[in-house]
Amino acid sequence: MRPGKERRAALAASLAFVGALLAPHGAAVAEEPGRYELTVDGIGLDGAPAGDDWSVVVQNVDTGETSYLDDEAGTGTVEVPAGDYLVTSDMGWIGTESAMDLTVQTRTLPELAADTAITFDARRAEEIDLSVFDRAAEQTTLTLVTVLTRGDGYTSTTFWNTFEGADSTFRTQHTGPSLGEGGLRSVAAASWLNPDTGTEYHAAHERTGTFFTGLDEHERRRDLARVDLGARALAGGARGRLHFLYELVHDGHFAERELPGTTTAYLTPGRWGYGLDVTEAGGDSLSFEGALERYAAGERRRVEVGAPVFGPGLGARDGLSREGDEIAVGVGLFSDDQGNRGAAGGWESASVVVRRDGEVYATSDRPLNRTWIEVPPEEAEYELTTTVRRDAAALVSTEVTASFTFASGHAGTSTELPMSVVRFTPRLGEGGTVPAGRRTVVPVTVQGTAAAEGGPSALSVEVSHDRGDTWRSVQVRDGAVAVDNPAAGGTVSFRAHLTDRGGNTTELTVVDAYRTV
């Protein structure tokens, strides 16, 4: 296998062409009626023809049809139909774990309707130079992203990144007319870490319509938002991997830290999300994902992540929907007390069962996170049930079950389907505990369809002191239930039944929601 082919395999892991079709290519193509030859030449930084570290992607702006070209001879030809195109060239990509000298160039070709030849000359690209006010901070990552919105509304995302940002050089250039604010979004991002203080810095700069031709930005303290993130853990000896990501960036800097603890991070203005992977000393693990939120220059904010009760929650991208004959479903089964979406990192057993008109239609032995289910077009009644039993090391929320009923038929466009969850959010002590023998007031809230409708038509809650062997009803009053806690060393489990105003139901069970001491 020649180096160029090896590189293609590596590049496929880093370049995501969402919804795109990869088409074959060659140096010579026989023309078909209404199709035209696009010849692309590449010139490296040394002025010689581009070598086997060169790759080109040709994307039809309207249809998303994509042709992929890498030719160590420094030239290649693809055949394409008439239309508007975005052509992207990169030279020097060698993998996220390596320092690199990368050149990325883009060119827009509106109304291509004849044989066309273009050249990418790396010597014309300009450097991406990002820095931060803390001179002791060390750069960890450097990232470039393009997001092309096709004529049918779908997006195609391409990214380049390295975890050796301090030793890497990225150069960029754009030529050709703008694709407009809704056509192309481009991001240049970087992260830094002060090894002495643990303070993190994350910068992202966005351009719409075109790609970057170089960028020189120095981040000043007054131009950034400050976030103090408190990361919780159930016991000493826990470790966490924390990351902040800009809304269009899907991979970035992860800092491993001792938990519990607080991390200070500075962010450029814009929409950011955060994530925390927690591994307890016993090996139990959970991953949390905060919703994208907008941060402003000079703002200061504190957020908390990773505190129980862990139970079903709906993140920004969760819920039920249908488009055509495909149902999309997402739910965070182990979301924390602040609503940060949570998922189990390890489990003893898991299941998903989909019933259609009372008959088992589909099953899985993996946890339900976010998935798509192909179904027949006819209207039907569905019941979706998922259960995750966590590893033996888990201290709380050792088993979670969620079951939802709804009706659905063929949908010509993306259509939201009903889904509701019930959240339990008591104030707990360290390790997810409460004093034994005392009464605890547990707030009960509803998320999803039933909440949007002004509340469910019916809601009931049950409590168990024997891990779900027996249950006792407790009354929901003023948005809470009162629980008489068992003796020390015990646990409290919850079960909720909800019916929304359309008759759709939810049943949730959280075994060992909290412990008594």
Side-chain angles (χ1 to χ4, degrees), residues 173-489:
Q173 182 196 28
H174 179 85
T175 54
S178 170
L179 293 178
E181 184 174 342
L184 182 66
R185 298 174 68 185
S186 305
V187 174
S191 296
W192 299 260
L193 174 68
N194 184 313
D196 298 322
T197 65
T199 302
E200 299 185 15
Y201 305 88
H202 304 279
H205 296 273
E206 185 173 342
R207 183 158 297 171
T208 58
T210 69
F211 191 51
F212 297 91
T213 298
L215 183 65
D216 185 358
E217 293 285 349
H218 176 74
E219 313 301 344
R220 301 175 298 181
R221 185 192 299 268
R222 66 174 179 268
D223 296 330
L224 305 177
R226 173 174 168 167
V227 181
D228 296 309
L229 187 145
R232 298 284 296 276
L234 296 178
R239 306 288 297 179
R241 296 179 73 237
L242 173 66
H243 66 273
F244 287 86
L245 292 177
Y246 188 70
E247 63 175 317
L248 298 180
V249 179
H250 306 297
D251 198 5
H253 168 80
F254 286 79
E256 185 169 311
R257 301 177 179 278
E258 294 182 1
L259 301 182
T262 298
T263 296
T264 297
Y266 289 87
L267 313 174
T268 52
R271 282 165 48 86
W272 292 83
Y274 53 81
L276 177 69
D277 301 331
V278 178
T279 301
E280 298 287 348
D284 172 43
S285 62
L286 289 172
S287 295
F288 301 100
E289 174 186 309
L292 283 170
E293 294 188 13
R294 185 168 297 280
Y295 293 85
E299 178 183 2
R300 184 165 180 171
R301 191 182 305 184
R302 182 172 180 86
V303 297
E304 299 288 337
V305 186
V309 168
F310 305 130
L314 298 178
R317 295 183 292 144
D318 287 332
L320 273 170
S321 63
R322 178 165 179 163
E323 184 171 1
D325 296 321
E326 190 173 71
I327 294 175
V329 56
V331 60
L333 286 180
F334 295 90
S335 301
D336 71 7
D337 70 334
Q338 299 297 308
N340 297 296
R341 188 184 196 277
W347 56 90
E348 182 180 300
S349 64
S351 66
V352 179
V353 178
V354 179
R355 289 180 170 83
R356 184 175 186 272
D357 287 337
E359 300 292 330
V360 173
Y361 175 77
T363 63
S364 171
D365 60 0
R366 303 282 294 179
L368 175 65
N369 187 15
R370 293 186 177 106
T371 192
W372 293 262
I373 306 165
E374 291 187 7
V375 295
E378 294 80 16
E379 180 86 11
E381 297 288 336
Y382 289 90
E383 180 183 37
L384 185 154
T385 303
T386 180
T387 298
V388 174
R389 180 179 294 116
R390 299 171 67 198
D391 294 334
L395 297 176
V396 296
S397 296
T398 56
E399 182 177 319
V400 172
T401 297
S403 183
F404 310 95
T405 66
F406 59 95
S408 177
H410 178 83
T413 59
S414 181
T415 302
E416 185 176 343
L417 300 175
M419 174 181 264
S420 304
V421 298
V422 181
R423 306 275 298 136
F424 302 98
T425 56
R427 296 186 63 178
L428 303 179
E430 292 300 320
T433 61
V434 298
R438 297 186 184 178
R439 174 167 289 189
T440 296
V441 175
V442 179
V444 178
T445 56
V446 174
Q447 274 188 303
T449 304
E453 293 173 342
S457 63
L459 173 63
S460 62
V461 173
E462 297 171 279
V463 173
S464 173
H465 290 173
D466 54 14
R467 309 189 72 245
D469 287 341
T470 60
W471 295 93
R472 179 176 59 86
S473 295
V474 289
Q475 189 170 358
V476 181
R477 293 179 176 173
D478 299 323
V481 295
V483 178
D484 293 323
N485 297 316

Side-chain angles (χ1 to χ4, degrees), residues 29-53:
V29 184
E31 285 193 27
E32 298 178 10
R35 298 180 68 87
Y36 305 95
E37 289 187 356
L38 174 60
T39 300
V40 184
D41 294 326
I43 300 174
L45 293 170
D46 58 0
D52 60 4
D53 66 346

Side-chain angles (χ1 to χ4, degrees), residues 124-140:
R124 298 184 179 276
E126 300 178 20
E127 188 172 338
I128 299 289
D129 186 5
L130 304 178
S131 59
V132 70
F133 67 85
D134 184 350
R135 295 187 177 182
E138 300 173 355
Q139 188 172 353
T140 56

